Structure formats: C-alpha cells, structure tokens
Amino acid sequence: MADQGDDQDRKATLDAFAEAVNMTPGRLEKWLETDESKSVGQSTGGGDGESVGHASGRRIVELLRTKKADLSDDDVAHMRKVVGYVHRHVKQRPAGDVTDTPWRHSLMNWGHDPLA
C-alpha cells in the first residue's frame, strides 16, 4: 500500500509539472520538429546528435498523453526533473527580447514557452 507521504509527493509533482509545462502535446510535438528545437541543448551523447532537452520533450509529449493513474514512478521522476529544469532555467532569463533566443528554444524543448 502506498505511503500517504508518497501520495502527497506524487500529487505535488503532478501539480508542479502541470504548472511548469504550458505547451499542449500537439504544440510541443510540432515544435520538436523544427530546426530551432533541434539546434539547442547539450547532446545526449548517444551519437545521434539529439539534445537532452529534445529527448525530454518527446517524453513530455508521452507523459501529457498518459492518464495520471497510468504514470509509473519513473514517469513521475522525469516530471520532477522537468519541473526542476524549468524553474532553474526561467531564473536565467536574458535581458531584452527573448522571442528568438536559444534560452526560449531550450525551455520550449522542455514544454515551457516563457512567452505563453
């Protein structure tokens, strides 16, 4: 039986994820197909040239399309990672117009559009 604290942690993570990820699965999926999306972030090291954020974006699309009851502990752990990334990165906002910047593009790979 799940510990009540675990249930509260899970709910807090799902709520924080819903707040941090402000792009719909369809919009994120479309964004991930763009050259701008593919041009930012650190390589996963897998030799395919895909960035960590781009790979995360693909997983976020899957998570957004998964019923809450069907989310695994691993899914929730990834959601926690997404929340942490978005919160840290938002604090690093550069000055000026960020519309077409690597900073925004990177955040969008993680499902957060700071201009939305």
Side-chain angles (χ1 to χ4, degrees):
M1 185 167 180
D3 180 279
Q4 188 173 7
D6 289 344
D7 288 345
Q8 288 175 342
D9 288 346
R10 182 181 178 94
K11 182 180 179 341
T13 297
L14 270 62
D15 289 347
F17 180 81
E19 188 176 311
V21 175
N22 64 0
M23 295 171 71
T24 64
R27 181 165 176 236
L28 179 53
E29 204 166 41
K30 193 171 189 170
W31 163 252
L32 292 170
E33 294 173 7
T34 67
D35 290 339
E36 292 88 347
S37 169
K38 296 172 185 174
S39 71
V40 294
Q42 294 180 329
S43 172
T44 60
D48 58 5
E50 184 174 40
S51 73
V52 174
H54 196 273
S56 179
R58 289 186 298 104
R59 179 138 187 222
I60 291 166
V61 169
E62 293 173 15
L63 294 172
L64 290 170
R65 290 184 171 150
T66 302
K67 292 179 184 175
K68 287 182 183 181
D70 294 338
L71 292 168
S72 70
D73 289 345
D74 193 44
D75 292 336
V76 175
H78 188 75
M79 294 169 114
R80 199 171 295 118
K81 180 178 177 179
V82 170
V83 169
Y85 179 85
V86 169
H87 286 176
R88 281 189 314 277
H89 207 65
V90 164
K91 292 177 185 175
Q92 300 169 3
R93 184 183 182 116
D97 182 9
V98 296
T99 302
D100 192 25
T101 60
W103 174 82
R104 179 182 180 220
H105 296 166
S106 182
L107 271 169
M108 289 174 70
N109 280 353
W110 288 81
H112 180 82
D113 184 350
L115 301 183

